[in-house]
Amino acid sequence: MKKSVVFFMVAALVVPVLVSCGGPRLKIYNWTYYTPDTVIEKFEKEYGVKVVYDQFASNEELYAKLKTGGGGYDIIFPSGDFVSIMMREDMLEKIDHAKMSNLGNVDPEILLKAIYDPNMEYSVPYYYGAAGVIVNTAKVPDFEQSWSIFGREDLRNRMTMLDDMREVMGGALVFLGYSVNTKEPAHVIAARDLINNSWKPNLTKFDAESFGKGYANGDFWVVHGYAEVVFEEIADYPQLLADTVFFIPHEGGVAYIDNMCIIKGSKNIELAHKFIDFIHRPEIYAEFVDAFEFPATANVPARQFKTGDSLYTVEELAITELVYDLGPELELYNDAWFNSIRVGE
């Protein structure tokens, strides 16, 4: 979810170099633009290892790859609802708290929200944040900070929304006054119809991978997505930076807790514990959030080490709602998304 950030893992360039090197390797599967190079390099130097860092664009992509046996990863970064699913399906190793010294730095308020694993048995919170809407104000000078922007026909073919079921459905649900976790079929159907009839006709596409680049090159003027992705892409364009606004719609939105988990069958469990503990050192966590202009949401003492500004505040997150595992009722969303909204895409 960085106006001047330049240190990111670029898997296509970095991974081949790391794979060719000998010695211990830690394989990480994480979201795009989510761990600074400087943090990875410090971990590698301190522990004498190499990190292989692959990237995914959605929880569904992560889950599908793991279910097909791909990757051979040690650490993954699922959001809370997918932690629930993976716990239920016995896909995760238990976290050994005795191997950690920094878990006490995790904000207790975040753990209260992490109802899927409040005692960190299988997951350790990495970041609590939210997606939102990014607008080029030079192209769109007048707008309401609302999900209704995606219903504007005058912006047709200049907008994208995330290719993420819970994010898009969640936006429609809160716009209609419902919970992002509703289990009422009528609510889900209403959200589906709003997206299909009002929002989708105005979108260029649903996009969780290239919306930042499309915004930077001027193809898109309004994008639903993660602020850090867009601000990384426009870091070298001062005027576009000045013209760009990020907001969480006033109706609310979808929040997430992304977590560090050790995948079942990891060949580097000891090293995986060391990495998770390393991330929650206050000075390292502060380096991470400063890199992306995040608030230090998940690590309390890191707030004293943080030096930069944030793209949004913890207070702004108060109007958002975390998505949780819906159990069998998730099929309502799957049906709406895959059998209606995404048909023909």
Side-chain angles (χ1 to χ4, degrees), residues 202-237:
N202 300 324
L203 304 178
T204 304
K205 56 182 175 178
F206 293 101
D207 178 14
E209 297 184 359
S210 60
F211 64 90
K213 288 181 172 59
Y215 182 90
N217 66 29
D219 288 344
F220 314 137
W221 299 344
V222 178
V223 294
H224 168 220
Y226 306 107
E228 69 274 14
V229 173
V230 170
F231 282 104
E232 154 61 10
E233 293 291 346
I234 66 175
D236 295 327
Y237 302 95

Side-chain angles (χ1 to χ4, degrees), residues 60-98:
E60 289 79 11
E61 180 183 343
L62 160 69
Y63 180 75
K65 185 165 187 177
L66 296 178
K67 292 298 284 186
T68 56
Y73 298 108
D74 299 300
I75 301 176
I76 57 173
F77 286 69
S79 301
D81 53 327
F82 273 77
V83 171
S84 295
I85 294 170
M86 292 178 184
M87 287 169 58
R88 189 169 63 244
E89 298 185 2
D90 194 28
M91 296 172 67
L92 306 176
E93 294 281 355
K94 270 201 164 186
I95 301 294
D96 187 346
H97 288 216

Side-chain angles (χ1 to χ4, degrees), residues 55-343:
Q55 302 172 122
F56 59 86
S58 70
N59 282 294
E60 289 79 11
E61 180 183 343
L62 160 69
Y63 180 75
K65 185 165 187 177
L66 296 178
K67 292 298 284 186
T68 56
Y73 298 108
D74 299 300
I75 301 176
I76 57 173
F77 286 69
S79 301
D81 53 327
F82 273 77
V83 171
S84 295
I85 294 170
M86 292 178 184
M87 287 169 58
R88 189 169 63 244
E89 298 185 2
D90 194 28
M91 296 172 67
L92 306 176
E93 294 281 355
K94 270 201 164 186
I95 301 294
D96 187 346
H97 288 216
K99 298 181 186 299
M100 314 282 222
S101 60
N102 294 314
L103 293 187
N105 296 333
V106 176
D107 190 341
E109 292 297 318
I110 300 299
L111 294 177
L112 288 176
K113 297 176 184 294
I115 61 173
Y116 50 88
D117 190 21
N119 297 315
M120 297 188 285
E121 291 186 85
Y122 292 92
S123 63
V124 175
Y126 181 66
Y127 185 68
Y128 165 53
V133 182
I134 300 96
V135 179
N136 182 334
T137 60
K139 302 294 186 181
V140 189
D142 299 311
F143 60 92
E144 183 182 358
Q145 292 193 359
S146 164
W147 290 104
S148 64
I149 195 169
F150 294 106
R152 286 182 49 172
E153 295 181 5
D154 60 313
L155 300 177
R156 180 167 291 183
N157 296 324
R158 292 294 188 176
M159 301 191 291
T160 69
M161 296 189 78
L162 286 171
D163 190 5
D164 186 303
M165 178 178 72
R166 296 299 300 275
E167 286 281 358
V168 177
M169 292 288 290
L173 286 166
V174 298
F175 179 74
L176 294 170
Y178 306 134
S179 167
V180 303
N181 296 301
T182 184
K183 295 182 179 181
E184 290 292 331
H187 297 172
V188 176
I189 290 169
R192 177 201 68 190
D193 291 346
L194 171 66
I195 296 165
N196 271 337
N197 299 331
S198 181
W199 295 359
K200 183 178 174 180
N202 300 324
L203 304 178
T204 304
K205 56 182 175 178
F206 293 101
D207 178 14
E209 297 184 359
S210 60
F211 64 90
K213 288 181 172 59
Y215 182 90
N217 66 29
D219 288 344
F220 314 137
W221 299 344
V222 178
V223 294
H224 168 220
Y226 306 107
E228 69 274 14
V229 173
V230 170
F231 282 104
E232 154 61 10
E233 293 291 346
I234 66 175
D236 295 327
Y237 302 95
Q239 188 56 55
L240 186 53
L241 273 172
D243 292 336
T244 296
V245 168
F246 168 82
F247 66 85
I248 296 172
H250 68 76
E251 299 95 348
V254 176
Y256 56 83
I257 300 175
D258 291 330
N259 305 269
M260 296 178 283
C261 301
I262 302 174
I263 195 72
K264 196 84 168 181
S266 164
K267 294 179 172 59
N268 297 287
I269 291 178
E270 294 292 323
L271 194 56
H273 278 88
K274 286 181 170 60
F275 183 85
I276 294 170
D277 205 45
F278 181 81
I279 289 295
H280 273 295
R281 289 183 192 173
E283 68 277 13
I284 294 297
Y285 195 87
E287 184 174 337
F288 151 54
V289 293
D290 270 338
F292 299 106
E293 296 189 39
F294 286 155
T297 54
N299 185 302
V300 175
R303 295 164 193 170
Q304 303 303 313
F305 290 84
K306 183 173 162 56
T307 59
D309 295 329
S310 298
L311 293 169
Y312 54 86
T313 66
V314 175
E315 289 71 28
E316 288 178 271
L317 294 174
I319 63 172
T320 64
E321 184 181 2
L322 284 164
V323 294
Y324 294 119
D325 176 24
L326 299 173
E329 281 77 12
L330 184 63
E331 192 55 37
L332 294 171
Y333 292 72
N334 286 334
D335 182 63
W337 184 252
F338 294 108
N339 296 327
S340 181
I341 297 168
R342 299 296 281 118
V343 169

